[in-house]
Amino acid sequence: NEMIILEDSDLYAVINCLIITDHFPLHKIWVQKGVNKKFVWLMKHYRSELSITIDTFQSVNDIQFIPCDEKVNVVSIWSEDIVAAKNLALSINSHLVFINTYMDFHGSKILWIYKHVSMGLLISDEYMMLNILCENVSQNQEFSMNVVHLSSVVKINDIFVGDLFYDGAWQKPMKGMYWKHNNNSLWANATHIDIKKCYLSARKGFKTWSNMSIKARIQILSRFMSTLELAGIDIKCCYVIAAIVDRWIKFPYLCEGIQGYIENETKEVLWTRRPLGVIILREENENILFFRLMQTLIAGNSVIVMFDANFCNPSSYYDMFSTCGIPPGVINLLSHENTGTLEHKLCLQDYTTYANKFFLKGTSSDTYIVPFRRLTTPKLIVISLQ
């Protein structure tokens, strides 16, 4: 949990709030430079202990939040300029933001939301991270007669070699292992080291992508659509993918925006949504893959696409992703001779069950709206009116 104190804040109100909420955890206080000395003096005068880390900032762009991917993230903003504080709150990728108050749950249903909203998903994300970083793929899973080390291939002039994609670039598999496909191509056979690197890339990409507005994401994806349309002159399927992208960049206007209400005449509560994190995709059909990819990206999540010989290989589009300005780590690619061996590592269950948690089949409006809600989680902004 962190607090941001802007220079137009009522510092005495901040100190009073800190005294009242002393039993709640607070890891860092960001204080704008213009009021830092006065705030520190007040803290020493009214609170004997300075156990909370205090850091200063000139502009809100200087603030670097503590990473806290495995728990509910709470931020408190203090400012007399409520409009500016609301805009700052909306730009922060946090589950719960208080304005001119902190952990104010009295007589409110916000406490229930704080305890229960998205906790199941967060716990799953924590388990997924531990699973990926700590568990090795067994040697039996990595061994196959169809998997070769690239150095053992005598002649590769007529063989296409496909690598992994993460951190915004093509990456050779760490162990140099590739699986043969149709005797005319070799594809990287990801091991647990590659999976770790790819997942960490996706988490970094998520932090960048999720902090962009939907409008900014749409602008980037619009450039991707234009690139597809140009490529469609020579490759017909690009027109189809471009049409899918076009359909989705118009979709967010159908989504529910910011909703709000006044509670107990003491606080205003705004309700919006924030993206979940890293989403795994694997589909047989290219159109379905891109349909779900666009859903996931517009919602603000990063993606790892995995494929083998039985599933869609979207590698031919990845240079286009980079060209149109999608940040590194937002879209990643893993290949393996049998992606079934990766399912429980990346999805914590079989992929079909995992995908059904987020996506719907069909062409109804629910196919658009329901997955957007499932790919995001509620975000609350609580503004004190007292």
Side-chain angles (χ1 to χ4, degrees):
N1 297 1
E2 299 182 65
M3 183 175 287
I4 301 171
I5 301 174
L6 298 169
E7 57 188 6
D8 63 346
S9 304
D10 182 345
L11 297 183
Y12 290 95
V14 176
I15 296 296
N16 184 57
C17 180
L18 288 171
I19 293 172
I20 295 172
T21 60
D22 188 58
H23 55 291
F24 285 108
L26 184 61
H27 302 100
K28 179 177 279 193
I29 300 177
W30 291 91
V31 185
Q32 203 156 15
K33 285 186 177 180
V35 293
N36 180 56
K37 288 184 178 179
K38 183 176 180 180
F39 177 74
V40 171
W41 183 87
L42 288 171
M43 284 284 285
K44 290 179 178 178
H45 184 74
Y46 290 100
R47 290 187 51 159
S48 58
E49 295 184 9
L50 282 176
S51 57
I52 305 171
T53 301
I54 298 176
D55 210 338
T56 59
F57 67 95
Q58 186 67 47
S59 164
V60 291
N61 295 327
D62 301 330
I63 298 173
Q64 297 181 349
F65 291 106
I66 299 171
C68 50
D69 300 294
E70 289 84 31
K71 55 189 176 182
V72 173
N73 183 7
V74 180
V75 174
S76 173
I77 300 171
W78 290 80
S79 173
E80 293 297 296
D81 188 341
I82 300 300
V83 174
K86 285 182 180 179
N87 289 333
L88 176 58
L90 288 169
S91 70
I92 295 172
N93 189 28
S94 175
H95 300 90
L96 181 57
V97 181
F98 291 97
I99 296 178
N100 293 336
T101 185
Y102 178 59
M103 306 303 270
D104 182 6
F105 300 123
H106 180 68
S108 172
K109 64 181 180 182
I110 299 170
L111 178 59
W112 182 91
I113 296 170
Y114 174 70
K115 286 184 176 180
H116 298 283
V117 164
S118 78
M119 285 306 295
L121 291 169
L122 288 168
I123 291 170
S124 295
D125 184 61
E126 182 178 358
Y127 281 135
M128 184 186 296
M129 187 63 183
L130 290 172
N131 202 38
I132 290 170
L133 295 183
C134 300
E135 179 191 346
N136 291 341
V137 177
S138 72
Q139 294 301 312
N140 289 334
Q141 288 177 335
E142 292 184 5
F143 176 77
S144 168
M145 293 296 293
N146 194 45
V147 174
V148 298
H149 194 282
L150 192 59
S151 62
S152 67
V153 181
V154 178
K155 183 181 178 182
I156 62 171
N157 294 336
D158 299 326
I159 299 177
F160 176 83
V161 178
D163 291 318
L164 310 171
F165 192 93
Y166 56 85
D167 285 332
W170 294 104
Q171 311 282 351
K172 295 187 180 302
M174 296 302 293
K175 293 188 177 181
M177 305 303 291
Y178 290 78
W179 54 278
K180 294 179 285 185
H181 180 54
N182 293 337
N183 294 320
N184 59 6
S185 62
L186 293 173
W187 291 96
N189 202 59
T191 61
H192 72 277
I193 302 174
D194 302 306
I195 296 169
K196 287 180 184 179
K197 287 180 172 290
C198 186
Y199 191 77
L200 290 174
S201 163
R203 284 168 69 93
K204 287 188 291 184
F206 169 71
K207 290 178 182 178
T208 303
W209 190 245
S210 62
N211 282 325
M212 292 184 179
S213 65
I214 287 184
K215 183 178 179 180
R217 294 178 208 140
I218 288 175
Q219 288 175 342
I220 292 175
L221 294 174
S222 295
R223 293 199 291 270
F224 176 57
M225 182 187 71
S226 299
T227 303
L228 285 168
E229 289 174 338
L230 289 173
I233 297 173
D234 300 314
I235 309 172
K236 188 175 181 180
C237 63
C238 286
Y239 275 131
V240 178
I241 303 301
I244 293 172
V245 177
D246 182 51
R247 198 181 314 162
W248 268 106
I249 61 179
K250 295 174 181 176
F251 163 72
Y253 303 106
L254 302 175
C255 294
E256 57 190 37
I258 301 171
Q259 299 177 329
Y261 61 92
I262 304 298
E263 187 170 274
N264 300 329
E265 298 183 353
T266 61
K267 57 178 78 77
E268 179 184 1
V269 180
L270 301 180
W271 183 291
T272 183
R273 305 195 71 82
R274 67 187 293 275
L276 291 180
V278 181
I279 302 298
I280 312 301
L281 293 179
R282 185 193 68 184
E283 300 297 334
E284 295 180 15
N285 182 280
E286 184 176 74
N287 293 348
I288 294 176
L289 175 64
F290 272 87
F291 189 88
R292 294 180 173 183
L293 176 63
M294 291 304 110
Q295 283 180 310
T296 305
L297 291 177
I298 287 180
N301 301 291
S302 62
V303 177
I304 296 175
V305 179
M306 58 180 181
F307 76 93
D308 57 29
N310 297 314
F311 294 95
C312 175
N313 173 3
S315 59
S316 59
Y317 298 96
Y318 272 65
D319 287 332
M320 295 185 192
F321 293 145
S322 300
T323 301
C324 72
I326 294 178
V330 175
I331 304 180
N332 307 273
L333 184 68
L334 284 176
S335 60
H336 193 278
E337 183 193 19
N338 177 13
T339 54
T341 63
L342 308 184
E343 289 182 8
H344 286 272
K345 175 175 282 291
L346 288 168
C347 307
L348 300 177
Q349 56 195 153
D350 66 275
Y351 179 76
T352 301
T353 303
Y354 171 84
N356 287 340
K357 292 194 304 183
F358 304 115
F359 305 107
L360 296 179
K361 297 178 180 179
T363 57
S364 68
S365 59
D366 283 347
T367 310
Y368 291 80
I369 297 172
V370 173
F372 181 84
R373 291 174 180 166
R374 292 177 178 177
L375 289 164
T376 56
T377 188
K379 170 181 177 175
L380 290 180
I381 300 173
V382 182
I383 304 107
S384 173
L385 300 179
Q386 295 178 316

